[in-house]
Amino acid sequence: MQSKDHWEQVYTTKASSGVSWFQDHARQSMQLIHQTGVDKDAGIIDVGGGASTLVDDLLEEGYAKVTVLDLSEAALSASKSRLGPRAENVSWLVGDITRVELPRHAYDVWHDRAVFHFLTAPAEREAYVQAVLRAVKPGGHVIVATFAEDGPDKCSGLPVMRYSADGLHAEFGAPFTLLQQEREEHHTPFGTVQKFIYCLCRKEPN
Ligand SMILES: C[S@@+](CC[C@H](N)C(=O)[O-])C[C@H]1O[C@@H](n2cnc3c(N)ncnc32)[C@H](O)[C@@H]1O
């Protein structure tokens, strides 16, 4: 099954709160976004945001330029329905982050929880990093969360890569400085625990 078909099937057959990665609030992500110190009019993109509630909390706190990108239209529809009229204040993009052409230097903050780890082919990871280099402003921030080295080896039934903070930072290379790393024990709706690593990096000015 192609990746897009996989994700459309997930989001058309399961409730947003019934998937292993569900969080009622993306607290660690919000904490790291606060840590960047960006203003409320900063451009923030949630890559592979799915039906995450991160966008709800960003809007609630007054962040005015939020974009959510995902491969799955059904995932974004779920978020739009949940938000109601507030969804009109968000830019929604359907696309594959390894192929989409994002506007140059458009975002102050790039956020990804549990998406980069699906990129098992080096060429996909290279394309992803190129997208970050293009779309994030010089001096902007990149927050990427993946399964940690002691995390699961599959997510949504698909194989994933697992990372240490240094290993994850190495994928992005010299244009990025690792500012902070956080471990998280994510409690799934099924009562299991998944170990995540979050990295906050700064994209150095050219
Ligand atoms: C495990 S879910 C995480 C969703 C969300 N980030 C969260 O924390 O709730 C992975 C998400 O990545 C999306 N995705 C997978 N591969 C993608 C790709 N190549 N480009 C864009 N989105 C992708 C899926 O549709 C899905 O919504």
Side-chain angles (χ1 to χ4, degrees):
M1 188 187 287
Q2 292 293 307
S3 185
K4 181 171 170 62
D5 295 340
H6 170 86
W7 291 107
E8 293 294 10
Q9 185 173 346
V10 167
Y11 287 109
T12 50
T13 57
K14 295 184 179 187
S16 303
S17 57
V19 291
S20 59
W21 55 93
F22 173 74
Q23 298 174 293
D24 55 356
H25 293 281
R27 291 187 181 85
Q28 185 62 76
S29 298
M30 286 300 290
Q31 194 216 310
L32 290 170
I33 290 168
H34 292 152
Q35 200 80 25
T36 67
V38 292
D39 295 336
K40 295 292 163 75
D41 65 350
I44 301 177
I45 183 166
D46 189 14
V47 171
S52 167
T53 57
L54 178 66
V55 61
D56 307 46
D57 289 341
L58 289 170
L59 292 176
E60 186 65 31
E61 291 195 10
Y63 291 96
K65 291 187 192 157
V66 181
T67 299
V68 183
L69 177 146
D70 203 276
L71 204 48
S72 163
E73 290 188 47
L76 300 185
S77 294
S79 282
K80 288 181 199 172
S81 301
R82 188 182 66 240
L83 287 165
R86 289 186 298 158
E88 289 169 20
N89 301 323
V90 178
S91 296
W92 304 96
L93 296 177
V94 177
D96 179 336
I97 196 55
T98 65
R99 293 164 189 260
V100 73
E101 178 133 336
L102 293 169
R104 189 165 183 270
H105 295 173
Y107 304 107
D108 298 279
V109 178
W110 176 289
H111 174 268
D112 161 351
R113 173 176 177 266
V115 186
F116 185 77
H117 67 194
F118 288 108
L119 306 181
T120 54
E124 293 173 327
R125 296 196 291 277
E126 174 61 20
Y128 181 106
V129 173
Q130 287 303 317
V132 179
L133 284 168
R134 177 183 168 79
V136 176
K137 292 179 186 172
H141 289 85
V142 180
I143 298 163
V144 178
T146 67
F147 283 163
E149 285 179 300
D150 53 353
D153 59 8
K154 286 196 171 165
C155 181
S156 191
L158 301 174
V160 295
M161 307 289 290
R162 296 179 290 182
Y163 292 99
S164 63
D166 287 343
L168 184 52
H169 176 234
E171 293 286 339
F172 289 77
F176 300 89
T177 301
L178 179 59
L179 300 178
Q180 193 172 334
Q181 52 180 287
E182 298 290 341
R183 283 177 62 89
E184 180 188 57
E185 292 198 349
H186 168 60
H187 293 256
T188 73
F190 320 123
T192 56
V193 175
Q194 298 178 330
K195 311 267 182 69
F196 275 78
I197 182 84
Y198 286 68
C199 286
L200 167 63
C201 296
R202 182 176 56 237
K203 182 187 166 193
E204 292 306 332
N206 293 334

